[in-house]
Amino acid sequence: MTLPYDSDALADAAAAQPARLKDPGLRPGPRASNAGEADSCQAAPPLPGGRSSAHGPEVAPPAPGPQTSGIGTGKDPAAEPGKPRSRKAALLTAGLVGTLLLLALLSTGVGAYEIPLGDVLASVQHRVGLGGAPLDRVGESVLWNVRLPRVVLALLVGASLGCAGALMQGVFGNPLAEPGVIGISAGSAVGAVAAIGLGLSFFGNWTITVCAFVAGLITVASVYLLSRNGGKTEVVTLILTGIAVNAFAGALIGLFVFFADSGQVNQITFWQLGSLAQATWPKVLAVLPCALAGLLAAPFYARRLDLLALGERPARHLGIDVERLRLALILVVALLTAAAVAVAGVITFVGLLVPHLLRMANGPGHRFLVPGSALAGAVVLMAGDLAARTIARPAELPLGVLTALIGSPFFFWLLRRTRRKQGGWA
């Protein structure tokens, strides 16, 4: 069946309210049911540049100069307000990319072993065959075996968490949603803690990472299956099931900690605090396929997320299979978050705050919000990691603790600001 709607136009309408058209020349005159009533009707007030008659006003002649209302010009007036927003999105994208490059250069040079920026660039040029010169043996080892893997891992983990947060908030239609709501982070933590507490080593150094990744995916599948009823899953049921699974995961972690020895307790605690201190090229290669798959797939759902913002019933009328869309996006979120948590531990507030900031800057349209959240998440995590390892040099703060310390007061301010602006939550 052909739908009498333009889904692209409705997606734009869901992302931004179009401007209303106002044209005083199109104001109608008095209605008349017959000629007698028409003769007895009072004349309409005169219009600027025109005259009144008993049968309604005559339309004033158009003023000289170009038409600006968009009617009769072949342009869509509702699309014109989107042009400034598109320019703002382009400026924000350029700013995020520039900030990311600057932070990457700073992160490679700043630390306990200082490497001048010029030496970093010279070493990179030498490695890619564009001239330059290598550093000394210690400098080359620090740059290529310690700093650069950490920078790339921060980029991948931050982009994955930011993008996953934007997708979760779009799927649930709730700005408070984040990947931890459906138990991905808690499930991955159970897998990692179980591997540490039970002393598993069947994958060597990869055992904790593999267990965390698999446990996160199993947890998401369990939440989805438990909340499914009658071939459908409701948002409220998903959230409540996720809360119950999070509580159960927390109890399992407590049991493993209780039976672990002191060395295992320290390892479990350090993993749960979140850190990129153990970044290596093999870990980068491990998270790269999952992160790339999720980040490349996510923007293709932006249009459908804009239509879903109209509500489930209107989205279904526009041809969106809401159940299939929700399942696909939950799988993408699970892939991104489980991969990130498996290599970096539990890092909070990135997936929650980043989409909020971009909505404040450019509105709720997902065509910019989804890829923009990936860029902004990478910026936030790279900046946080740089701060975590430089604030207390030569010691290093846990990255998850730092993001929570900064993110929670900022989110509280954001809630207060939103409530004050809207005049309450009702």
Side-chain angles (χ1 to χ4, degrees), residues 99-144:
T99 305
L100 188 61
L101 292 175
L102 179 61
L103 284 172
L105 290 174
L106 287 175
S107 297
T108 54
V110 176
Y113 184 90
E114 295 286 346
I115 303 176
L117 181 58
D119 292 346
V120 172
L121 296 176
S123 180
V124 172
Q125 288 175 343
H126 178 73
R127 287 290 181 115
V128 299
L130 297 178
L135 304 176
D136 58 84
R137 185 176 60 86
V138 177
E140 283 283 299
S141 178
V142 169
L143 177 61
W144 291 96

Side-chain angles (χ1 to χ4, degrees), residues 146-248:
V146 178
R147 299 275 173 81
L148 283 178
R150 188 162 184 163
V151 168
V152 177
L153 194 63
L155 188 153
L156 291 175
V157 171
S160 298
L161 294 176
C163 183
L167 293 178
M168 284 293 295
Q169 293 175 12
V171 168
F172 286 92
N174 191 323
L176 296 179
E178 54 108 13
V181 167
I182 54 176
I184 307 175
S185 300
S188 297
V190 169
V193 170
I196 296 171
L198 298 176
L200 303 180
S201 59
F202 45 81
F203 283 112
N205 293 332
W206 291 93
T207 303
I208 297 175
T209 301
V210 171
C211 289
F213 180 75
V214 173
L217 296 182
I218 291 175
T219 303
V220 173
S222 302
V223 169
Y224 185 80
L225 292 176
L226 289 172
S227 61
R228 191 173 177 84
N229 185 25
K232 296 189 300 182
T233 54
E234 296 180 352
V235 170
V236 175
T237 310
L238 273 172
I239 294 175
L240 293 177
T241 306
I243 292 173
V245 169
N246 275 320
F248 183 71

Side-chain angles (χ1 to χ4, degrees), residues 245-268:
V245 169
N246 275 320
F248 183 71
L252 289 179
I253 292 172
L255 282 176
F256 282 118
V257 171
F258 179 77
F259 288 108
D261 57 36
S262 58
Q264 291 172 338
V265 169
N266 291 335
Q267 192 176 358
I268 290 171

Side-chain angles (χ1 to χ4, degrees), residues 37-52:
E37 289 179 358
D39 292 335
S40 64
C41 285
Q42 186 178 1
L47 294 173
R51 60 183 184 276
S52 302

